[in-house]
């Protein structure tokens, strides 16, 4: 029977260790989080494919093939790419809803791309696997971010917690039963592509200095893997702090990140660091006790930031 409607959702992510150096082939550890993007597709009797993204552009439906805003270009690419694989002439009406803040370093664009790709394969009846979803989402990420490592689309597709190195992935166990991660959104939007490109410029001008910093981050990633498995909070926190200092040296901090990090340190976080590309976006902090976390969240809200507890190691793309 022809499917008339499908919905798939896919998670956002936090990079626990190793952002930026991962673009240069070093390992990084990422975890899928509880916030998700959702794509619903109906087949329609209308003559053209359409897409709406009400969280970002309210009350508008865009016809693919007509002039569409830049933020939808990568999704238009996914639609064309997947339609080429089938003779199915169904016309589709797509709606995307997302819990994820955009331009915040939580993998919102990848989660959207993954949910759109999975929904399209499914409604068009095209045989596929998770690798196929991941590949097309990676190509879409390149349209948005230029030269991404591929970690965002990969963790969103497969879920859990992974160590990622040059597109190779391994699921890793994270054993943190009593602890909690919080995400603090500085509410300063930033552009991953610009941050990655400007770091590339600095790297090209002083390759030795930046290679050494990447090397040190790579060592932290390796060390964190065993401590995440052991659930050694003090050690993990210490490694997060060290990773953060190195990210600052790469030049991807900003004054809000600095302020958030100092609040979290004063509030006795085991450790904290920026997550994602930096330059604004989010900081993650590791705490042990939920009551303390609620006070910290309240304090951060008073300072004008958005903070929340997050689950980690959540499920990857799934049918809803
Ligand atoms: C990804 O969320 C953050 C960066 O490492 C870029 C990338 O891996 O593509 C800065």
């Amino acid at each position: 029977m022809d499917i008339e409607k499908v919905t798939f959702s896919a998670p956002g992510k936090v990079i626990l260790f190793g952002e930026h150096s991962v673009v240069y082939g070093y390992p990084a550890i990422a975890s899928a989080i509880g916030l998700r993007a959702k794509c619903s597709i109906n087949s329609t009797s209308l003559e053209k494919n359409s897409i709406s993204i009400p969280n970002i552009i309210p009350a508008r439906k865009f016809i693919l093939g007509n002039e569409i805003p830049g933020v939808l270009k990568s999704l238009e690419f996914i639609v064309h790419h997947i339609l080429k694989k089938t003779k199915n002439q169904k016309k589709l009406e797509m709606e995307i809803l997302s819990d994820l803040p955009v331009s915040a370093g939580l993998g919102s664009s990848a989660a959207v791309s993954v949910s759109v790709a999975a929904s399209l394969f499914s409604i068009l009846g095209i045989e596929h696997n998770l690798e196929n979803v991941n590949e097309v989402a990676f190509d879409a990420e390149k349209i948005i971010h230029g030269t991404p490592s591929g970690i965002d689309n990969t963790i969103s597709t497969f879920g859990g917690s992974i160590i990622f190195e040059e597109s190779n992935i391994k699921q890793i166990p994270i054993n943190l039963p009593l602890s909690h991660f919080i995400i603090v959104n500085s509410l300063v939007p930033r552009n991953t592509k610009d941050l990655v490109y400007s770091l590339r410029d600095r790297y090209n001008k002083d390759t030795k200095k930046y290679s050494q910093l990447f090397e040190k981050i790579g060592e932290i990633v390796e060390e964190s893997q065993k401590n995440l498995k052991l659930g050694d909070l003090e050690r993990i926190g210490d490694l997060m702090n060290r990773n953060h200092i190195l990210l600052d040296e790469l030049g991807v901090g900003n004054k809000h990140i600095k302020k958030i990090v100092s609040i979290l340190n004063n509030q006795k976080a085991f450790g904290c660091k920026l997550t994602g590309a930096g330059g604004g976006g989010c900081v993650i902090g590791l705490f042990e006790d939920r009551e303390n976390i609620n006070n910290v969240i309240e304090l951060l809200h008073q300072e004008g930031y958005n903070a929340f507890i997050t689950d980690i190691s959540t499920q990857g793309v799934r049918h809803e």
Side-chain angles (χ1 to χ4, degrees):
M1 203 186 73
D2 243 14
I3 309 173
E4 297 306 326
K5 175 165 185 185
V6 296
T7 301
F8 277 77
S9 75
K13 63 85 185 51
V14 285
I15 296 190
L16 297 176
F17 295 98
E19 47 276 271
H20 283 294
S21 41
V22 68
V23 176
Y24 296 77
Y26 292 89
I29 293 178
S31 195
I33 59 172
L35 302 180
R36 302 179 77 85
K38 194 165 79 177
C39 172
S40 298
I41 308 188
N42 293 306
S43 60
T44 164
S45 52
L46 299 176
E47 292 194 346
K48 300 260 173 134
N49 296 312
S50 69
I51 194 157
S52 60
I53 186 153
N55 296 141
I56 298 178
I57 310 172
R60 288 282 309 271
K61 188 189 275 187
F62 296 93
I63 304 297
L64 299 188
N66 290 1
E67 201 48 40
I68 58 160
V71 285
L72 296 181
K73 292 275 186 226
S74 59
L75 302 185
E76 185 172 52
F77 160 81
I78 298 176
V79 175
H80 286 157
H81 182 83
I82 294 181
L83 280 174
K84 274 200 257 156
K85 296 180 186 293
T86 174
K87 294 200 169 56
N88 196 327
Q89 293 295 307
K90 234 182 235 178
K91 292 294 172 233
L92 306 170
E93 198 172 27
M94 286 163 260
E95 184 185 66
I96 291 145
L97 290 168
S98 177
D99 308 328
L100 288 150
V102 290
S103 304
L106 299 181
S108 135
S109 64
V112 168
S113 293
V114 168
S115 66
V116 168
S119 304
L120 281 165
F121 277 124
S122 171
I123 198 158
L124 292 167
I126 301 171
E127 207 176 302
H128 66 283
N129 57 27
L130 289 180
E131 296 293 345
N132 306 130
V133 171
N134 192 31
E135 264 165 39
V136 60
F138 186 32
D139 287 338
E141 282 283 277
K142 288 180 197 157
I143 295 172
I144 307 169
H145 298 308
T147 52
S149 61
I151 193 169
D152 289 13
N153 45 284
T154 303
I155 189 65
S156 184
T157 303
F158 295 99
S161 296
I162 58 167
I163 184 157
F164 178 99
E165 187 168 5
E166 292 190 344
S167 298
N168 295 314
I169 60 164
K170 193 171 85 189
Q171 289 284 342
I172 57 165
I174 293 194
N175 193 3
L176 298 173
L178 291 174
S179 66
H180 300 283
F181 280 102
I182 65 168
I183 295 179
V184 189
N185 187 348
S186 67
L187 303 176
V188 179
R190 70 317 154 273
N191 183 312
T192 299
K193 185 176 180 175
D194 295 346
L195 284 149
V196 170
Y197 280 8
S198 62
L199 177 55
R200 174 71 68 180
D201 271 352
R202 294 195 288 284
Y203 169 85
N204 286 339
K205 285 185 188 123
D206 193 346
T207 305
K208 187 162 171 234
K209 169 179 165 185
Y210 287 93
S211 300
Q212 280 170 354
L213 292 171
F214 295 149
E215 193 71 44
K216 285 188 192 159
I217 295 175
E219 286 163 14
I220 289 177
V221 173
E222 296 298 347
E223 208 181 324
S224 68
Q225 201 186 335
K226 68 172 184 286
N227 289 292
L228 287 166
K229 186 171 174 190
L230 290 172
D232 185 335
L233 295 174
E234 300 220 351
R235 203 74 200 103
I236 297 163
D238 179 49
L239 291 163
M240 287 169 75
N241 292 337
R242 281 169 48 200
N243 193 166
H244 181 75
I245 291 167
L246 292 165
L247 285 162
D248 229 10
E249 285 180 45
L250 291 178
V252 295
N254 94 340
K255 66 173 197 252
H256 289 281
I257 291 180
K258 205 180 193 130
K259 183 163 171 198
I260 293 167
V261 164
S262 111
I263 294 173
L264 295 178
N265 283 332
N266 287 337
Q267 295 302 312
K268 312 230 172 333
F270 283 107
C272 57
K273 62 178 276 295
L274 70 81
T275 185
C282 290
V283 173
I284 47 170
L286 179 63
F287 286 86
E288 185 161 28
D289 143 325
R290 191 172 274 256
E291 202 179 318
N292 183 21
I293 290 191
N294 288 335
N295 296 335
V296 177
I297 287 177
E298 183 53 41
L299 181 68
L300 287 157
H301 285 168
Q302 284 163 14
E303 293 288 341
Y305 302 117
N306 186 13
F308 51 94
I309 295 174
T310 187
D311 287 342
I312 59 164
S313 293
T314 62
Q315 203 181 353
V317 64
R318 70 173 181 230
H319 187 231
E320 296 288 339

